[in-house]
């Protein structure tokens, strides 16, 4: 028989059962295993970032599987998604994001209103394309952090007209992904993808997930949403050409882009500087250059390329005009499908 410890002997002398283990539930009796300490078993749900104070770098093993182990989430860095979230009226922006958003708004007081109109445009145009052409797969690229935005997302707009549609969100920002995967349950999936490398989207291993089998078919038309994305890309023409090569005929690209046309140079310069101070880069382009991105596509007319607050095929949607910043949008169809639509190349 094993020799008893001094504490066990003392308990036996006092007529008490010897201690065989300790837990937060108190002493365990002889012959019984100690009750488990559930505090040790509590772990963050997969894909949810641990809470962090603003300005701190947090390394968490609970990031999505397609990110390198030990990747650091720096909540002190400005995130384009966080800035956009703040402009949209969301609550997920950090102090650094809010500071950049305030600088943008100081340069362009219309920036928050135009951001909201851009968000509405994306949902309105995507749902129109799904309804008009019977498309049932939508890729929302550069989705951002919009879970707490008081507006209808692309997913909710699409599902309102096509409940059987699958909407996949893509982003290359790990902070965006941990937000979206934890909170945005309506999406068919949220995958890591970078518009500058389209193979990360169209050859993404996540497309083979069992939940998506039979729901994503790249041989069939798709709607691709690029809302306020291409003005952050150095070569947007290459992106549009790459989409043209990868998508099936009849696919639709929903594009919006900040423009220099009819916008004062001082405003454009101030907004560009605000983004650059936030460690980001934005390129405002003239409308003619934005329309040229649809080379090889057919721009839907009406309405053509117009300010996002005025985009609607039937002419029933009219937003307020804005002077201090302009974002224009278009829907472009990849030719070759049997469906017919009145289209034109050029500025609408």
């Amino acid at each position: 028989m094993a020799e008893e410890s001094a504490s066990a002997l003392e308990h036996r002398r006092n007529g008490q059962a010897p201690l065989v283990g300790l837990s937060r539930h108190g002493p365990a009796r002889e012959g019984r295993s100690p009750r488990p300490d559930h505090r040790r078993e509590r772990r963050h749900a997969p894909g949810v970032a641990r809470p962090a104070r603003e300005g701190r770098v947090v390394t968490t093993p609970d990031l999505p599987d397609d990110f390198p182990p030990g990747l650091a989430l720096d909540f002190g860095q400005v995130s384009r998604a966080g800035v956009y979230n703040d402009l949209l009226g969301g609550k997920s922006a950090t102090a650094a994001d809010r500071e950049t958003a305030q600088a943008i708004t100081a340069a362009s007081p219309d920036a928050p209103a135009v951001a909201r109109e851009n968000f509405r445009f994306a949902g309105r145009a995507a749902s129109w394309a799904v309804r008009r052409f019977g498309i049932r797969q939508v890729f929302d690229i550069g989705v951002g952090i919009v879970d707490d935005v008081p507006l209808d997302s692309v997913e909710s707009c699409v599902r309102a007209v096509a409940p059987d549609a699958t909407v996949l969100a893509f982003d290359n920002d790990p902070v965006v992904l941990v937000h979206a995967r934890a909170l945005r349950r309506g999406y068919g999936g949220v995958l890591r993808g970078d518009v500058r490398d389209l193979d990360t989207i169209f050859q993404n291993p996540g497309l083979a997930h069992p939940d998506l089998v039979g729901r994503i078919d790249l041989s069939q038309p798709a709607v691709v949403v690029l809302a306020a994305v291409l003005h952050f890309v150095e070569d947007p023409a290459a992106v549009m050409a790459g989409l043209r090569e990868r998508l099936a005929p009849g696919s639709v690209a929903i594009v919006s882009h900040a423009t220099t046309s009819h916008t004062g140079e001082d405003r454009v310069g101030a907004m560009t500087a605000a983004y650059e101070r936030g460690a980001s880069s934005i390129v405002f382009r003239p409308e003619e250059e934005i329309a040229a991105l649809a080379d090889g596509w057919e721009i839907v007319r009406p309405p053509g390329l117009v300010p996002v607050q005025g985009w609607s095929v039937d002419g029933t949607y009219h937003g307020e005009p804005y002077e201090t910043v302009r974002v224009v949008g278009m829907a472009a169809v990849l030719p070759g499908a049997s469906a017919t639509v009145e289209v034109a190349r050029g500025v609408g």
Side-chain angles (χ1 to χ4, degrees):
M1 181 176 178
E3 185 176 351
E4 290 184 310
S5 67
S7 60
L9 286 171
E10 180 64 22
H11 275 75
R12 192 176 295 280
R13 291 190 189 101
N14 295 332
Q16 297 173 310
L19 298 178
V20 296
L22 289 174
S23 76
R24 67 187 179 97
H25 304 288
R29 294 189 179 276
E30 186 177 16
R32 296 184 182 179
S33 299
R35 295 177 66 180
D37 188 342
H38 294 287
R39 289 176 300 180
R40 298 178 182 176
E41 298 177 1
R42 292 177 182 172
R43 304 179 67 181
H44 286 266
V48 180
R50 288 178 170 82
R53 294 181 180 177
E54 291 176 351
R56 294 186 61 189
V57 176
V58 176
T59 302
T60 169
D62 294 333
L63 281 169
D65 294 338
D66 50 358
F67 281 92
L71 181 68
L73 300 181
D74 190 347
F75 292 91
Q77 288 290 327
V78 176
S79 163
R80 286 197 299 260
V83 173
Y84 191 46
N85 176 271
D86 189 72
L87 291 173
L88 290 171
K91 304 298 182 183
S92 297
T94 66
D97 298 332
R98 290 191 294 271
E99 182 178 350
T100 299
Q102 289 167 4
I104 293 169
T105 304
S108 169
D110 293 326
V114 172
R116 291 191 291 271
E117 289 291 357
N118 177 73
F119 196 78
R120 294 186 183 101
F121 155 77
R124 188 167 66 252
S127 61
W128 168 82
V130 165
R131 183 175 61 251
R132 173 65 179 80
F133 298 108
I135 298 172
R136 290 299 181 267
Q137 49 189 0
V138 179
F139 292 171
D140 189 359
I141 300 176
V143 64
I145 304 172
V146 295
D147 310 283
D148 55 0
V149 170
L151 299 168
D152 290 333
S153 67
V154 167
E155 186 267 343
S156 61
C157 291
V158 167
R159 295 292 295 276
V161 300
D164 58 332
T166 297
V167 183
L168 291 180
F170 291 85
D171 211 294
N172 67 337
D173 186 335
V175 176
V176 170
L177 284 173
V178 294
H179 271 274
R181 292 186 180 185
L183 301 176
R184 191 170 309 166
R185 302 303 186 189
Y187 275 82
V190 183
L191 304 174
R192 183 191 183 197
D194 191 330
V195 72
R196 296 167 299 182
D197 181 1
L198 291 174
D199 286 345
T200 64
I201 295 172
F202 294 100
Q203 296 182 20
N204 193 301
L207 297 180
H209 191 280
D211 289 347
L212 296 178
V213 172
R215 299 174 63 187
I216 297 297
D217 183 354
L218 295 179
S219 69
Q220 297 298 313
V223 174
V224 174
V225 179
L226 293 167
V229 169
L230 294 182
H231 49 228
F232 294 114
V233 177
E234 184 177 351
D235 189 358
V239 174
M240 294 297 288
L243 290 174
R244 192 172 65 242
E245 295 170 357
R246 289 169 172 82
L247 293 172
S251 294
V252 182
I254 307 299
V255 176
S256 63
H257 195 299
T259 181
T260 57
S261 300
H262 311 293
T263 306
E265 291 184 10
D266 54 340
R267 300 277 190 188
V268 172
M271 285 186 285
T272 301
Y275 272 103
E276 289 177 347
R277 286 195 299 272
S280 186
S281 178
I282 185 171
V283 180
F284 290 73
R285 296 182 171 94
E287 289 185 11
E288 293 79 9
E289 188 174 338
I290 297 169
L293 296 177
D295 181 37
W297 300 74
E298 296 177 326
I299 299 177
V300 175
R301 183 195 293 272
L305 179 68
V306 296
V308 288
Q309 66 270 22
W311 192 96
S312 63
V313 173
D314 58 7
T316 58
Y317 189 90
H318 298 284
E320 296 294 326
Y322 299 103
E323 297 181 357
T324 63
V325 62
R326 295 179 77 248
V327 174
V328 292
M330 62 182 173
V333 181
L334 192 59
S338 58
T340 58
V341 62
E342 185 180 357
V343 296
R345 290 186 179 88
V347 179

